[in-house]
Amino acid sequence: MLVVIALGGNAILQRGEPLEAENQKRNIETAAKAIAKVAREHTVVLTHGNGPQVGLLALQNEAYPDVSNYPLDVLGAETQGMIGYEFEKALRNELPDAHIAGLFTQTVVDTQDPAFSSPDKFVGPIYSQEQATELARTKGYFMKADGEFFRRVVPSPMPKSIVELNSIKQLVDNGTMVICTGGGGVPVARDESGKWQGVEAVVDKDRASTVLAIDLKADALLVLTDVEGVAINWGKPDQKTIKTATPEQMEEHGFAAGSMGPKVEAANAFVRSGGKIGGIGSLAQALEIVNGQAGTVIRADHNGEVDYH
């Protein structure tokens, strides 16, 4: 099968973990082991998040006031190179005989998207409420609560298409594992003269991965995170994890927009567009999710009631 793996940013830097290069390298090496298990049995296209890295580069920007800050699209491009390099290296060590290529990727967005008037995409490290208030005052950042902490939020327009789609298809057809659409891809749009221009935004990784998986006609889309699957009644005594369901059954439950909601949205959209499997769960169980043995698996052909673990 052709499997698109959308890897959450927590696989690269854990929540609250110092934004150190060595931490990132170690986490990526761990992630590569799980991805390699899938790649030994299926064709894999890997995408990844970049929220903490974009935020870190923005902070480094501000530490050198002698030059103007680089825009978000350029910072996104930088993270694709940084993270893609580490993943390609780690995956080559796990799969020495495999063909692997990291591909710089751009994502088409609409500059009239309402996201530009209502930023909601988290980037960068966590802050206390006091720190967040000061950053909003001094830097003009939009800050929102993320659990018990606060983080900067930026516009996250809906992805329309992947500019390099045909190149990705050619590589996949030739048996290459492709690392692409990092951080949702660098957002771009055509100006009035038809020329491509960067857009000051960050595209949601799960949404861009869905567009990519649909256009590649992939068999499976795995949205991997740090939990074992999609749970209902989260944090309550009757909490339980969904094992198998249809998109319609998943939509009967309300999932938080800031956490599981976008992942369920992505998997549902993929399955409704003809994908066989939309899987959500733990990175460590990636292969088991593909095989229906772990995580939450969304299928259009699931018959009967929702199954639970």
Side-chain angles (χ1 to χ4, degrees), residues 75-292:
L75 300 186
E78 290 184 36
T79 66
Q80 284 194 8
M82 172 173 59
I83 299 169
Y85 155 69
E86 291 289 1
F87 263 116
E88 186 170 341
K89 182 174 59 175
L91 286 166
R92 286 187 185 281
N93 287 336
E94 293 295 326
L95 302 164
D97 297 325
H99 298 287
I100 304 170
L103 183 65
F104 171 80
T105 319
Q106 302 166 91
T107 301
V108 180
V109 300
D110 182 355
T111 55
Q112 301 303 311
D113 191 296
F116 290 101
S117 60
S118 182
D120 66 354
K121 177 66 175 176
F122 289 114
V123 299
I126 57 175
Y127 299 100
S128 68
Q129 185 170 7
E130 181 180 358
Q131 291 172 316
T133 300
E134 181 66 12
L135 285 169
R137 184 184 70 81
T138 59
K139 302 293 186 182
Y141 287 173
F142 290 93
M143 308 293 290
K144 284 188 178 181
D146 183 14
E148 61 182 305
F149 299 100
F150 288 79
R151 293 177 70 191
R152 182 186 176 190
V153 290
V154 300
S156 182
M158 293 294 290
K160 300 296 183 181
S161 61
I162 307 300
V163 175
E164 291 79 12
L165 178 67
N166 287 336
S167 298
I168 297 169
K169 284 182 176 178
Q170 290 180 13
L171 288 165
V172 170
D173 289 346
N174 288 330
T176 300
M177 180 195 297
V178 184
I179 306 163
C180 63
T181 323
V186 177
V188 296
R190 292 190 189 273
D191 62 18
E192 294 179 356
S193 67
K195 293 183 178 179
W196 289 110
Q197 301 292 339
V199 176
E200 181 84 349
V202 173
V203 179
D204 181 81
K205 172 264 305 174
D206 294 329
R207 289 171 175 165
S209 299
T210 301
V211 171
L212 175 67
I214 291 170
D215 289 347
L216 285 175
K217 295 181 172 56
D219 299 291
L221 170 64
L222 300 189
V223 183
L224 302 181
T225 180
D226 57 353
V227 297
E228 294 184 357
V230 182
I232 62 171
N233 303 321
W234 177 261
K236 299 179 180 179
D238 57 346
Q239 173 182 324
K240 51 185 177 180
T241 300
I242 297 172
K243 180 179 181 182
T244 315
T246 65
E248 292 74 23
Q249 289 169 331
M250 295 297 294
E251 287 178 346
E252 293 176 2
H253 306 282
F255 297 105
S259 57
M260 195 57 71
K263 296 173 176 57
V264 173
E265 172 195 311
N268 281 351
F270 172 70
V271 171
R272 282 185 166 135
S273 296
K276 296 177 182 177
I277 297 171
I280 303 171
S282 167
L283 166 65
Q285 296 180 305
L287 182 58
E288 288 81 2
I289 296 171
V290 174
N291 295 332

Side-chain angles (χ1 to χ4, degrees), residues 50-61:
N50 71 340
Q53 290 78 15
V54 166
L56 174 62
L57 291 178
L59 290 173
Q60 291 174 340
N61 257 348

